[in-house]
Amino acid sequence: MITVYGIKNCDTVKKSLRWFDAKGINHKFHDFRIDGIDAKTIEGWLAEVGGKTLINKRGPSYRNLSDGDKAVLENDDAAAAVILAANPTVIKRPVVDFGTTRTVAYDEGCWSELAEA
């Protein structure tokens, strides 16, 4: 089962969910705000895709973090996972879990390939 992670009021997440629906690809939605997310899952994402890909530095949630938290996000994946679990809106959206592979951000070309595999 494909899982789309994000927040329901994010325009990119809405666009992603519409794309999966339009293609008839079976998926479920995991809302960070309602369902939460644990640090262990995020640590795995960081190990797979890296902080530069996973962390959204453009949004207000990132700008509102303390300088200390921002420094941790740059230097320590285990500690960064704890900060991201407590502040999931700092995670770039959507994160799409295909079971063996994760993608970050809107990428219908990659999704098409992974959904067919």
Side-chain angles (χ1 to χ4, degrees):
M1 169 69 73
I2 296 168
T3 304
V4 179
Y5 291 87
I7 55 176
K8 67 181 176 182
N9 63 336
C10 173
D11 289 337
T12 306
V13 170
K14 289 178 191 177
K15 180 179 174 182
S16 302
L17 293 171
R18 284 192 304 268
W19 184 88
F20 280 100
D21 286 339
K23 298 293 182 186
I25 299 170
N26 193 18
H27 64 282
K28 66 180 180 177
F29 175 59
H30 181 105
D31 191 315
F32 290 141
R33 288 188 174 146
I34 295 169
D35 305 315
I37 189 74
D38 62 271
K40 184 174 175 129
T41 300
I42 295 171
E43 195 170 347
W45 293 349
L46 286 165
E48 183 176 349
V49 302
K52 290 183 191 239
T53 299
L54 189 64
I55 298 167
N56 178 10
K57 293 183 179 180
R58 293 180 162 201
S61 297
Y62 179 83
R63 289 191 296 271
N64 290 333
L65 292 175
S66 70
D67 288 341
D69 283 350
K70 290 176 187 175
V72 168
L73 291 176
E74 294 290 327
N75 299 309
D76 183 349
D77 282 355
V82 173
I83 293 169
L84 292 172
N87 302 280
T89 55
V90 177
I91 299 171
K92 198 175 290 179
R93 301 174 298 270
V95 175
V96 182
D97 186 338
F98 285 86
T100 58
T101 305
R102 262 87 14 226
T103 66
V104 179
Y106 189 89
D107 190 345
E108 60 185 59
C110 184
W111 297 338
S112 290
E113 288 179 26
L114 291 169
E116 291 175 10

